[in-house]
C-alpha cells in the first residue's frame, strides 16, 4: 500500500487553481475552496493563506461577483498573508484589495491601501510592491482627472 502526501496534493491543486484565475475563475474558486478545506484539516496555515489569495484574485476576475464578497475575500487574503509572513502573497493580496476597492468606487480606501503598499515597499526595497503601488496611485490620479500627475 502506498503513502498519500496531502501537502503535495495541496501544492499541486494550488498551482492548478492559480492557472485558472483569469481563464476560468469559477474553477479557480472551486479548487481554492477545496485547498482551504484540505489545508485546514492538517492546520497548514500557509496553504490556507495562499488559497485565500487565489480566492480573492478569482473574485476580482469575476465582474459579476458581489462587491461585498470581493472585498471580504481580498481583506481576508491580506490578513492571512500578513499573519503567516508571506511577503509575496501580501503584496498580491493588498494590491488586489486596493484594486477591488477602486473598482467599487471607494477611492479613499484604495489610496490608503496603495500608500500602505508603497510605504512598506520603499522601507523593504521591494520593487514589485513599489511598482504596483505607483500603478494603483496613477489610476487614482487618472480618475481624479489629473492625468499629468498619473504619469509623473
Amino acid at each position: 500500500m502506498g503513502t498519500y502526501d496531502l501537502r503535495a496534493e495541496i501544492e499541486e491543486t494550488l498551482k492548478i487553481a492559480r492557472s485558472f484565475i483569469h481563464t476560468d475563475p469559477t474553477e479557480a474558486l472551486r479548487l481554492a475552496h477545496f485547498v482551504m478545506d484540505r489545508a485546514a484539516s492538517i492546520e497548514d496555515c500557509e496553504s490556507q493563506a495562499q488559497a485565500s489569495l487565489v480566492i480573492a484574485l478569482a473574485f476580482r476576475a469575476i465582474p459579476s461577483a458581489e462587491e461585498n464578497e470581493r472585498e471580504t475575500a481580498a481583506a481576508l487574503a491580506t490578513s492571512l498573508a500578513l499573519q503567516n509572513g508571506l511577503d509575496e502573497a501580501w503584496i498580491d493580496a493588498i494590491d488586489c484589495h486596493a484594486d477591488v476597492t477602486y473598482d467599487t468606487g471607494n477611492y479613499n480606501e484604495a489610496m490608503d491601501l496603495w500608500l500602505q503598499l508603497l510605504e512598506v515597499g520603499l522601507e523593504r526595497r521591494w520593487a514589485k510592491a513599489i511598482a504596483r503601488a505607483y500603478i494603483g496611485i496613477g489610476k487614482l490620479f487618472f480618475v481624479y482627472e489629473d492625468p499629468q500627475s498619473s504619469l509623473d
Side-chain angles (χ1 to χ4, degrees):
M1 181 159 272
T3 60
Y4 182 71
D5 188 356
L6 184 56
R7 289 191 195 282
E9 177 192 343
I10 288 170
E11 288 176 26
E12 280 301 308
T13 306
L14 268 174
K15 286 179 188 176
I16 294 166
R18 281 187 197 104
S19 73
F20 281 123
I21 289 171
H22 298 291
T23 57
D24 190 352
T26 304
E27 181 64 8
L29 280 173
R30 188 187 70 74
L31 291 171
H33 282 295
F34 176 77
V35 167
M36 286 285 278
D37 292 340
R38 302 295 267 181
S41 73
I42 59 171
E43 298 178 359
D44 183 354
C45 296
E46 288 186 16
S47 293
Q48 286 178 291
Q50 293 289 350
S52 180
L53 175 60
V54 171
I55 290 167
L57 294 171
F59 270 132
R60 184 176 71 177
I62 302 172
S64 62
E66 294 291 322
E67 289 178 8
N68 185 40
E69 219 172 13
R70 295 168 69 204
E71 250 185 274
T72 301
L76 178 63
T78 302
S79 174
L80 289 176
L82 185 62
Q83 287 173 9
N84 290 286
L86 302 172
D87 297 338
E88 287 290 319
W90 180 80
I91 292 168
D92 292 339
I94 197 166
D95 182 53
C96 175
H97 190 184
D99 206 41
V100 166
T101 58
Y102 170 85
D103 287 346
T104 60
N106 190 350
Y107 301 132
N108 290 333
E109 176 74 13
M111 179 64 91
D112 289 343
L113 292 166
W114 276 317
L115 287 174
Q116 183 181 350
L117 180 60
L118 180 61
E119 182 180 334
V120 173
L122 290 170
E123 179 183 302
R124 297 186 184 177
R125 298 184 172 277
W126 289 344
K128 179 180 176 180
I130 295 167
R132 292 227 181 138
Y134 277 132
I135 290 167
I137 293 167
K139 286 173 25 176
L140 287 168
F141 278 118
F142 192 79
V143 164
Y144 287 127
E145 297 182 8
D146 188 0
Q148 187 55 42
S149 294
S150 70
L151 299 174
D152 290 341

